[in-house]
Amino acid sequence: MKTEQQYYEEGKTLADYMEGMTTHKENSQKVYESFKLPQGDELIGLLKEKQPHILVITEDWCGDAMMNNPILRHIVEAAGIEARIAYRDADTELIDRWLTNGGRSIPVYLLLDKDGDVLAKWGPRAPQVQEYVMEQRETLPPKDAPDFEEKQKKLFKNLYVEYTTNADYWLWVYEDIRRTFMTALQKQD
């Protein structure tokens, strides 16, 4: 069984992953270009000091990854650390260790120390975004309804618009990642 550190070592960088995306690339790039990292945040200094690295479990077809990965990329670039990719569908053994409510939801960010031990898990969504998504899903008809698929596609399309234009969502994601990583890094010593 491969360790998280081994997956990390085998992975491509987050920047290379985003450059090679075949789905949602334009939208992901739009978020990356539009999001501005809050200045003077102590998270960046702590990441620089502790020098952890991040294993990202993702796929480029995922709408949440489309929004969240560019925000993480800003964090790692500002801190001078690396995030590397493990594709969820290429090896489900990894994601099956890090299920969210029993599901293979992505993206998942694993904060690893210099020895490759997992300090924290984040993902797949900030709580406020999760609440919004769940509210939207409640408007869908039952899965066996004839118009379910059509309405679900429309819902996803609307979500992608929100994900690529709503700066509040980006800040919520950043703040939730920050909270998770800060808590883990401050415990370390």
Side-chain angles (χ1 to χ4, degrees):
M1 183 168 81
K2 285 198 295 192
T3 66
E4 284 77 3
Q5 180 66 23
Q6 287 170 314
Y7 282 103
Y8 172 84
E9 289 168 1
E10 294 171 2
K12 63 171 67 173
T13 67
L14 181 53
D16 287 345
Y17 159 82
M18 286 179 64
E19 185 59 37
M21 289 174 70
T22 57
T23 309
H24 293 309
K25 181 176 182 175
E26 188 177 299
N27 285 336
S28 201
Q29 192 63 34
K30 181 179 178 183
V31 174
Y32 179 74
E33 291 169 1
S34 301
F35 176 72
K36 302 298 178 229
L37 199 62
Q39 295 301 303
D41 190 327
E42 65 183 316
L43 171 64
I44 303 305
L46 196 53
L47 289 168
K48 286 179 179 180
E49 175 193 330
K50 301 285 188 177
Q51 287 295 299
H53 44 282
I54 301 165
L55 178 60
V56 177
I57 307 170
T58 193
E59 289 287 344
D60 72 357
W61 50 257
C62 175
D64 291 300
M66 170 192 73
M67 176 176 65
N68 298 340
N69 289 345
I71 295 165
L72 179 67
R73 182 174 167 190
H74 275 287
I75 294 168
V76 300
E77 288 174 348
I81 63 172
E82 273 201 7
R84 293 184 175 236
I85 303 301
Y87 290 95
R88 183 195 80 167
D89 297 341
D91 183 351
T92 55
E93 181 182 308
L94 177 63
I95 191 65
D96 286 347
R97 294 182 218 163
W98 299 101
L99 300 176
T100 302
N101 299 322
R104 292 178 173 164
S105 301
I106 52 175
V108 168
Y109 303 154
L110 301 177
L111 183 69
L112 308 175
D113 68 13
K114 64 183 182 340
D115 299 320
D117 294 323
V118 178
L119 301 173
K121 171 199 176 207
W122 183 89
R125 293 186 185 115
Q128 302 93 323
V129 177
Q130 176 67 9
E131 185 178 323
Y132 174 74
V133 170
M134 296 312 289
E135 287 171 3
Q136 296 306 302
R137 284 190 172 168
E138 287 175 17
T139 68
L140 290 173
K143 284 187 179 186
D144 58 356
D147 60 345
F148 174 79
E149 212 169 288
E150 174 190 330
K151 300 249 179 177
Q152 185 180 42
K153 283 179 184 177
K154 185 177 179 186
L155 182 144
F156 287 155
K157 186 177 179 181
N158 292 339
L159 279 178
Y160 298 158
V161 169
E162 286 291 314
Y163 282 7
T164 56
T165 60
N166 192 328
D168 287 341
Y169 286 20
W170 309 336
L171 197 54
W172 293 337
V173 168
Y174 172 77
E175 288 171 349
D176 199 49
I177 292 170
R178 178 190 185 282
R179 183 173 25 261
T180 301
F181 287 4
M182 287 286 294
T183 301
L185 292 169
Q186 288 169 337
K187 287 180 185 173
Q188 202 186 19
D189 277 325

